[in-house]
Amino acid sequence: MTRHFLRDDDLTQEEQTAILDLAERIKADRWGHKPLAGPQTVAVIFDKSSTRTRVSFAVGIADLGGVPLIISTANSQLGGKESPSDTARVLERQVAAIVWRTYGQAGLVEMASGTTVPVINALSDEFHPCQLLADLLTIREHKGRLAGLTVTFLGDGADNMVHSYLLAGATAGMHVRVACPADYSPDERVVADADAIAVQTGGSITIYTDAVEAMAGADVVVTDTWVSMGKEEEKAERVAALGGYKVDADMMALAKPDAIFLHCLPADRGYEVASEVIDGPQSVIWDEAENRLHAQKALLVWLLEQA
């Protein structure tokens, strides 16, 4: 049965750990794995603009011995005349895997249901699971473990990064805290799914409206842009609502002294995070950005091995 990676809880705790272990080995021996030698092709489809996703997948596929086929939906039939499932049935005859950065999660689910090659969610409005693999890899590198750590996310709780942190963090046995205004709360269904996972892994999920309370004792502090793609017209409203959740030096001082700061980038400096934090000694964002490459290579290797 073909395995896909559409949301973070598509992996068990053991599978997540195996992929992160593999990512560490791949990072130490960058060209030691060539499952796409041939070369085989991987379709990488973009509905949304991208820097880190485009570069890390293109470079990673090449590192694995393959050829990245970058497709813009603006120049293809996908989403216009052709359904995701029909597109997948065409592509599977010619490519080893499909990577899609898109809007609605439903399109990814439809694509995966109609193909025999792995489909990877490179970002959707609901989840950003590849970023979470990179984040978890980065946290492990700096903290030596995941289980038992407390990670606090400040800002828009309905953000795709929050949903992925809830699921991936719970899977890893972490204590995930989300601090956000009540009107920007995470999807209740995702919270329920994460709670169920945490019961099995020893982690926990807590939603706060008080940022100060959520920051106390945090090992890891995370935020994301307050104005995601497609929400530019809401900027003034969002800045007003989320201003109390900005990560600045005073906010970081509430976490543990050795806490690290993560941001998936791009950052809107001066809004969700102060430059003194993003450029400061607790920031590990450049390691995090690099680890997209190693984590996604490990994911591809692992998925191809499941076939």
Side-chain angles (χ1 to χ4, degrees):
M1 180 178 175
T2 303
R3 292 292 299 272
H4 306 289
F5 190 51
L6 307 184
R7 44 185 274 170
D8 307 79
D9 55 351
D10 284 340
L11 302 175
T12 65
Q13 186 176 38
E14 292 74 20
E15 291 170 341
Q16 182 192 77
T17 299
I19 291 171
L20 294 175
D21 289 346
L22 178 57
E24 288 185 348
R25 297 195 297 272
I26 286 175
K27 186 172 184 176
D29 182 15
R30 179 167 170 176
W31 292 280
H33 295 75
K34 299 289 184 181
L36 294 171
Q40 298 182 69
T41 299
V42 175
V44 189
I45 308 170
F46 290 93
D47 291 354
K48 295 184 176 184
S49 60
S50 168
T51 298
R52 278 149 293 278
T53 298
R54 184 183 299 268
V55 172
S56 57
F57 267 112
V59 172
I61 291 162
D63 284 358
L64 296 175
V67 173
L69 174 62
I70 307 297
I71 302 171
S72 168
T73 49
N75 300 312
S76 73
Q77 300 292 354
L78 177 60
K81 293 182 178 179
E82 192 163 61
S83 67
S85 56
D86 283 354
T87 297
R89 293 180 69 181
V90 171
L91 291 176
E92 71 181 8
R93 303 295 184 97
Q94 302 175 62
V95 304
I98 301 169
V99 179
W100 192 9
R101 181 181 174 94
T102 187
Y103 291 92
Q105 185 77 9
L108 283 154
V109 173
E110 180 184 344
M111 179 172 280
S113 68
T115 186
T116 57
V117 300
V119 174
I120 295 172
N121 177 1
L123 177 144
S124 68
D125 288 343
E126 291 88 345
F127 303 101
H128 200 353
C130 287
Q131 181 67 55
L132 257 291
L133 288 178
D135 284 20
L136 294 181
L137 178 61
T138 306
I139 295 167
R140 279 204 343 181
E141 287 178 340
H142 287 270
K143 293 296 183 181
R145 62 188 175 96
L146 295 175
L149 293 178
T150 296
V151 54
T152 295
F153 185 103
L154 299 183
D156 180 2
D159 183 84
N160 55 7
M161 281 293 292
V162 170
H163 291 156
S164 278
Y165 256 103
L166 290 169
L167 295 177
T171 299
M174 303 177 79
H175 302 294
V176 183
R177 301 173 178 175
V178 177
C180 59
D183 290 342
Y184 291 79
S185 296
D187 187 311
E188 293 180 355
R189 295 166 297 180
V190 177
V191 174
D193 289 342
D195 274 328
I197 295 169
V199 169
Q200 302 299 318
T201 64
S204 65
I205 303 297
T206 312
I207 311 300
Y208 296 82
T209 55
D210 187 332
V212 172
E213 185 180 1
M215 285 290 291
D219 298 290
V220 181
V221 179
V222 188
T223 192
D224 191 12
T225 180
W226 292 342
V227 187
S228 299
M229 285 178 282
K231 298 181 179 178
E232 291 80 5
E233 293 182 357
E234 303 174 18
K235 184 169 184 176
E237 174 187 339
R238 286 176 163 271
V239 169
L242 297 167
Y245 300 86
K246 178 180 178 179
V247 183
D248 56 17
D250 289 339
M251 190 68 79
M252 282 297 297
L254 300 174
K256 288 183 179 178
D258 64 347
I260 57 175
F261 172 76
L262 286 86
H263 190 306
C264 64
L265 302 177
D268 200 356
R269 290 169 178 259
Y271 287 91
E272 74 272 8
V273 60
S275 290
E276 63 187 346
V277 172
I278 205 166
D279 296 325
Q282 292 172 282
S283 174
V284 295
I285 63 167
W286 309 120
D287 293 341
E288 179 187 9
E290 176 191 344
N291 281 337
R292 286 290 298 276
L293 172 66
H294 311 302
Q296 288 164 184
K297 286 172 66 177
L299 175 65
L300 276 165
V301 171
W302 187 85
L303 286 171
L304 292 170
E305 288 176 347
Q306 307 308 303

